[in-house]
Amino acid sequence: MRKESIIACLTVCILIVLNCFVASCAPVGFNVRQHLSTTTRYGAGKQYVEEKLEEVPPLPSQCTPVHLNLVARHGTRAPTVKRIKQMDSLIEKLTKQIEQGPEASFKHPAWLKGFSSPWKGRKYGGELLPEGEEELYGLGKRLRERFPTLFQHDYYPDVYPISATQVARSAASAVAFGMGLFEGKGTLGESKHRAFSVVTDSRSRDIHLRFHESCMAYKASKKLRKPAVEGYQVDVYKQIAADVSSRYDLDLTSEDTEGLWLLCKEEASLLNITDRACELFTPAEVELLEWADDIQAHHLKGYGEAINYQMGVPLLEDVVSSMDRAIAATRGQDGVLVEAARLRIAHAETLIPFTCLLGLFLEGDVKSLQTELSMGHPRRPPHQRVWKGSLVAPFGANTAVVLYKCPGLAEREETGQQIYNETSEYFVQVLHNEKPITMPACDGKNLCPYSEFKGTVAGPHLEKNFETVCRLEVVHTPVNEPWTSRIFTRIARIFHWRSQTSEACVHPSDSQTCKAY
């Protein structure tokens, strides 16, 4: 009897272990909500930042904030119409596949029978959700609590300028942020809100927050690189399609896997549902799908190609010039009200290049960044990597550049002699998703002397300007040139572009050759 009991227990244990391998038995601590790349909610992304980023020393007591620059992404939004149609089409295909099969398989996911998308038939999408409003509203309140001396004044548009893009979810996020920041400062309603202005620029000429729409050279470069990046992703989708098909007795293509991953991300992020589409994938598969998304963000928005962040120079110039003005103002007449914070709400396409300009989440060599070389893609799982969309740009992600005045902390030479100059007592700290982060381009410091920040962090990028970076080479074709010659010229220009970017194609830590160019 005892022997039979032991055999029964062993059998149960073996079945549990096998189920963990076959199904999606997640390791302890694995949270799919933190692995949704740039679809990650701010709360999950912020928690992930706090877990992954090292603690930095507290600021010296004599440091007081002088000025704050904020660049933030809009809050959690609904899926776009394009994505809604993609999910509707996939679900219709899979439900028919199950219904028209020879006999219902016990492997089929039970939730798929009669399932319809939560967004089925919607004619609009992409709008800021209530959850996104809460994210930006909460950020505004926490910033005011963290920097009481900066936000002690009554609201005035020249003291607290707020800007956003003309995209509705960005502008709505700016409003929610301002409501949190200035709550209790006015007379409207029980919470004593007050009206404030949000400045936007034309979408076609906004080179500070939507430079990716105005930079023609970037758009041409992205168009050339995008098919190869998609090739990387398709390879991942094909691999996982075969495994999921076998596991659940389905007939999935790479496009179907992409659609199921999209459904997983939208359900987990927007609806907090992780036991339907997300449960189809093992944790290892989730990390691989996340990597495929991160590859796209890296190559088309981040370090993968220098032009991705070079075009953000106007934004960096604006940040540096605002700090220069703040320093000049502190040396002026006492009691004069000056700009305390410059606040910007935009998109992942804004925030990611900006973090690259600052050298955050850098896996390559600092010198490569300072000389603006293209960098190889992040390492494929199971290798660890620093570049992750859930860290860099989840919904509501934000990077704050805070200027401090720290009397007595001026830089010292090796001789021990004090260095005095107009900015020697000013320092910069960068917060990402509200957590202090070190700057590799400032010798890994958490509190960077302002002169060094201007020289080694911002300086190399500020040598260029938007016009030279984004100008397309204009080739004047003779009116009477044969059409065959015109085609040859265009092909030659394409291969010339590819030859310039192919140098960074091979990543030493990966056996695959870079296809992204």
Side-chain angles (χ1 to χ4, degrees):
M1 185 69 180
R2 185 179 177 185
K3 182 178 180 180
E4 291 175 353
S5 299
I6 292 173
I7 293 173
C9 289
L10 287 172
T11 303
V12 170
C13 292
I14 290 171
L15 288 174
I16 291 173
V17 172
L18 287 175
N19 186 59
C20 286
F21 281 105
V22 173
S24 54
C25 184
V28 176
F30 183 84
N31 183 357
V32 69
R33 298 175 188 84
Q34 294 181 335
H35 297 273
L36 306 177
S37 193
T38 56
T39 311
T40 303
R41 285 278 301 278
Y42 182 62
K46 184 174 182 291
Q47 180 184 357
Y48 203 42
V49 164
E50 292 169 351
E51 293 172 357
K52 297 298 180 181
L53 294 186
E54 296 181 1
E55 294 294 329
V56 300
L59 289 170
S61 58
Q62 64 265 48
C63 291
T64 57
V66 173
H67 189 269
L68 181 146
N69 273 279
L70 178 75
V71 180
R73 185 189 179 193
H74 60 76
T76 298
R77 61 164 172 80
T80 62
V81 172
K82 178 182 177 181
R83 296 305 188 189
I84 291 171
K85 290 180 179 178
Q86 183 181 355
M87 289 186 287
D88 286 346
S89 177
L90 169 67
I91 292 167
E92 182 180 358
K93 173 185 175 179
L94 292 181
T95 52
K96 282 183 178 179
Q97 187 180 127
I98 291 176
E99 292 170 359
Q100 296 175 0
E103 188 176 345
S105 171
F106 71 93
K107 289 185 176 182
H108 287 158
W111 61 269
L112 259 179
K113 298 173 184 177
F115 177 74
S116 61
S117 167
W119 303 278
K120 182 178 180 180
R122 285 191 62 178
K123 304 299 181 185
Y124 57 90
E127 76 280 7
L128 184 70
L129 294 176
E131 294 84 355
E133 295 176 12
E134 290 286 348
E135 289 163 350
L136 272 297
Y137 172 76
L139 175 63
K141 293 189 70 171
R142 290 191 299 274
L143 275 182
R144 187 178 67 180
E145 292 170 1
R146 185 168 191 157
F147 300 102
T149 57
L150 288 181
F151 296 104
Q152 64 181 324
H153 310 293
D154 291 334
Y155 169 75
Y156 189 71
D158 289 341
V159 178
Y160 304 111
I162 303 177
S163 58
T165 69
Q166 281 196 334
V167 180
R169 56 181 170 268
S170 170
S173 295
V175 171
F177 173 79
M179 290 178 69
L181 189 64
F182 302 121
E183 186 175 38
K185 294 282 188 177
T187 60
L188 301 176
E190 295 181 359
S191 296
K192 297 188 180 301
H193 290 291
R194 67 146 302 145
F196 54 88
S197 65
V198 176
V199 177
T200 63
D201 201 353
S202 168
R203 294 177 68 165
S204 62
R205 64 169 185 266
D206 187 351
I207 65 172
H208 289 95
L209 299 182
R210 282 189 70 83
F211 36 76
H212 56 283
E213 286 289 342
S214 306
C215 185
M216 301 309 296
Y218 166 73
K219 294 173 82 170
S221 166
K222 179 182 176 181
K223 187 176 181 179
L224 286 174
R225 291 180 283 131
K226 191 173 181 180
V229 174
E230 290 173 346
Y232 261 119
Q233 296 177 299
V234 168
D235 288 345
V236 171
Y237 299 148
K238 282 182 179 178
Q239 175 186 333
I240 294 177
D243 294 336
V244 176
S245 294
S246 173
R247 197 155 58 232
Y248 294 101
D249 198 15
L250 296 170
D251 183 16
L252 300 178
T253 64
S254 59
E255 291 81 4
D256 297 335
T257 303
E258 180 187 8
L260 284 172
W261 173 233
L262 171 64
L263 180 60
C264 164
K265 291 187 291 184
E266 299 292 0
E267 284 189 331
S269 180
L270 310 187
L271 306 177
N272 204 30
I273 295 173
T274 60
D275 59 355
R276 290 199 303 223
C278 291
E279 205 169 58
L280 297 179
F281 307 111
T282 66
E285 289 168 347
V286 166
E287 291 184 341
L288 198 55
L289 290 164
E290 177 193 22
W291 176 78
D293 284 353
D294 291 347
I295 283 289
Q296 183 184 59
H298 182 272
H299 279 302
L300 302 183
K301 301 172 188 174
Y303 290 115
E305 181 66 33
I307 195 172
N308 296 345
Y309 55 86
Q310 286 175 339
M311 63 178 171
V313 163
L315 174 56
L316 183 61
E317 285 177 334
D318 192 47
V319 169
V320 172
S321 63
S322 68
M323 289 192 286
D324 283 340
R325 288 193 297 272
I327 291 174
T330 60
R331 299 177 182 279
Q333 183 179 352
D334 291 339
V336 175
L337 211 56
V338 297
E339 182 182 275
R342 183 160 289 206
L343 311 160
R344 311 166 183 84
I345 313 296
H347 308 271
E349 291 84 355
T350 315
L351 183 66
I352 292 176
F354 183 63
T355 60
C356 291
L357 288 168
L358 296 179
L360 310 184
F361 305 102
L362 178 66
E363 293 189 328
D365 180 36
V366 172
K367 292 182 179 179
S368 297
L369 174 65
Q370 292 170 331
T371 54
E372 298 186 333
L373 297 178
S374 302
M375 300 187 192
H377 59 262
R379 301 178 73 187
R380 182 185 177 112
H383 295 292
Q384 296 297 314
R385 66 184 189 278
V386 176
W387 178 273
K388 293 173 72 73
S390 55
L391 282 172
V392 182
F395 288 126
N398 53 89
T399 298
V401 181
V402 188
L403 178 68
Y404 286 91
K405 185 175 183 180
C406 305
L409 287 187
E411 300 171 86
R412 293 180 179 274
E413 296 178 319
E414 291 183 1
T415 58
Q417 296 298 314
Q418 191 81 28
I419 299 175
Y420 288 103
N421 58 55
E422 60 178 6
T423 62
S424 62
E425 59 184 356
Y426 292 90
F427 293 78
V428 172
Q429 184 180 62
V430 174
L431 309 178
H432 185 76
N433 293 347
E434 305 175 60
K435 184 175 176 66
I437 185 172
T438 57
M439 287 171 271
C442 190
D443 198 25
K445 295 172 185 172
N446 138 52
L447 195 61
C448 183
Y450 185 57
S451 58
E452 192 171 344
F453 178 86
K454 287 185 68 174
T456 64
V457 178
H461 308 301
L462 296 179
E463 293 176 1
K464 294 183 173 61
N465 61 61
F466 185 80
E467 288 72 23
T468 56
V469 168
C470 294
R471 183 175 60 240
L472 275 172
E473 182 182 357
V474 179
V475 177
H476 296 283
T477 304
V479 176
N480 297 324
E481 183 180 10
W483 65 271
T484 52
S485 298
R486 293 200 297 270
I487 292 176
F488 178 82
T489 299
R490 291 184 180 181
I491 294 175
R493 284 162 56 193
I494 290 174
F495 277 99
H496 173 67
W497 175 270
R498 291 177 68 88
S499 68
Q500 287 180 322
T501 58
S502 61
E503 188 174 337
C505 280
V506 179
H507 194 281
S509 62
D510 199 312
S511 60
Q512 298 187 46
T513 300
C514 173
K515 304 177 187 175
Y517 299 96

